[in-house]
Amino acid sequence: MKFYAPKSMNFKHLALLMVSLLMFNCKQRKLDLKTIEGQRISVDSTLHSNESIEAFIAPYRNHIEKDLSTVLAYATGTLSKYDGKRNTSIGNLMADIVKIQTNPVFKQRTGHDIDAVILNNGGIRSTIPEGNITPRTAYNVMPFENEVVVVGLKKVAFDRAIKFLLKTEKPHPIGGLELVADRDGNLLSAKINGGEIDPNRTYYVATSDYLFHGGDNMKFFKQNEGFYDLDYKIRNAMMDYFKKIDTIRPKIDDRFIIK
């Protein structure tokens, strides 16, 4: 099809006409999808590595491997999240590490001390076997990027936290908190750092950002008197602690007991 533009047509008219012709042409040439084809590529031993890529990443891999294998401390026995009914050796260690490592940071920023720690049993993903402890150990135990946060809780919210810990069947790691219950799950005693819970006081509880946002159904953190992000990963706190502690011993104590 030929088109002859009148001599009186200016650039604006020509542009509008070209757009109209283009739209008309697109309507005439409607495209329909006929088929979709795919191919499965298995990732297995039949795939061969690229030698040039392997040579390029080898120095970085070797450097990381060396760092992950550096001995930081020694465990006198295996620490597991299954070796206790209400508190476990690895759970106690995790809670204690969080309190010990983050309290100086929190106090410097706020002037307050961390009163208690509440973590979750499901966040512990590996045991700490007897023998050398390395950065790889910390990555195995805590592969997530969870960070320590501190939440201010009044007694009402703290009571909800204690009720949750009583009803759960999992030994969630706690620190600074001492609970005693009977065999029917009724609370007999609850103390923070050896003292009764004061209804007029705000207690500062360290936990993970995951739990603060309701992970593992720990919704009691939402009713708080303040939130503080310490920008300190739990895994990094573990490695910092291991660096300054020569020997780790499994410990199951009376922080949560059933009478």
Side-chain angles (χ1 to χ4, degrees):
M1 180 178 68
K2 295 183 179 180
F3 172 76
Y4 298 93
K7 293 182 179 180
S8 61
M9 179 176 288
N10 58 28
F11 178 78
K12 181 177 180 181
H13 293 149
L14 181 60
L16 290 173
L17 182 60
M18 293 299 293
V19 170
S20 300
L21 289 173
L22 180 62
M23 293 176 65
F24 175 79
N25 191 44
C26 289
K27 290 181 180 179
Q28 293 298 314
R29 299 175 61 188
K30 184 178 180 181
L31 301 178
D32 295 319
L33 181 65
K34 298 297 183 182
T35 60
I36 298 177
E37 296 182 356
Q39 182 180 2
R40 180 177 178 179
I41 301 176
S42 299
V43 180
D44 53 28
S45 59
T46 61
L47 290 178
H48 300 290
S49 60
N50 186 297
E51 292 184 3
S52 61
I53 295 178
E54 285 294 317
F56 178 78
I57 66 174
Y60 302 98
R61 181 193 291 120
N62 295 338
H63 180 73
I64 293 173
E65 184 67 26
K66 181 180 179 180
D67 286 346
L68 290 176
S69 301
T70 302
V71 177
L72 304 177
Y74 181 84
T76 61
T78 298
L79 289 82
S80 169
K81 68 177 184 177
Y82 302 109
D83 56 13
K85 186 174 182 180
R86 285 298 184 173
N87 69 96
T88 66
S89 59
I90 195 170
N92 293 348
L93 176 67
M94 295 279 287
D96 292 346
I97 285 175
V98 167
K99 189 174 183 182
I100 292 170
Q101 291 300 126
T102 62
N103 189 64
V105 178
F106 182 67
K107 189 164 186 176
Q108 183 180 27
R109 295 183 184 179
T110 67
H112 299 292
D113 285 306
I114 293 174
D115 297 294
V117 178
I118 300 177
L119 301 174
N120 64 318
N121 181 270
I124 302 172
R125 291 309 176 100
S126 178
T127 62
I128 296 180
E130 179 180 354
N132 291 334
I133 295 175
T134 66
R136 180 179 282 105
T137 307
Y139 274 90
N140 290 338
V141 173
M142 178 54 65
F144 312 109
E145 299 300 305
N146 292 346
E147 295 191 351
V148 180
V149 299
V150 179
V151 187
L153 298 182
K154 289 285 192 181
K155 186 178 184 301
V156 174
F158 222 118
D159 287 343
R160 293 180 61 196
I162 292 172
K163 185 177 180 181
F164 174 87
L165 293 171
L166 287 171
K167 287 190 173 183
T168 184
E169 296 180 356
K170 297 179 180 179
H172 294 300
I174 59 174
L177 186 60
E178 303 158 47
L179 302 177
V180 180
D182 62 22
R183 296 186 181 278
D184 295 323
N186 300 308
L187 181 66
L188 299 178
S189 172
K191 295 182 179 181
I192 300 178
N193 296 321
E196 301 294 332
I197 301 176
D198 186 347
N200 299 313
R201 181 180 167 184
T202 296
Y203 291 95
Y204 296 99
V205 183
T207 187
S208 71
D209 53 349
Y210 167 72
L211 298 180
F212 171 76
H213 291 292
D216 254 355
N217 291 316
M218 295 192 185
K219 300 176 182 179
F220 46 82
F221 288 116
K222 288 301 180 181
Q223 187 181 356
N224 64 76
E225 304 298 317
F227 168 82
Y228 309 86
D229 188 347
L230 301 187
D231 193 27
Y232 196 0
K233 288 183 172 56
I234 295 178
R235 182 175 58 243
N236 291 348
M238 293 175 63
M239 288 190 286
D240 290 342
Y241 179 81
F242 293 150
K243 289 175 184 177
K244 66 182 185 181
I245 301 296
D246 179 74
T247 305
I248 304 295
R249 293 179 174 84
K251 178 180 69 174
I252 299 176
D253 53 28
D254 59 355
R255 66 187 67 191
F256 194 166
I257 60 175
I258 303 294
K259 286 190 173 180

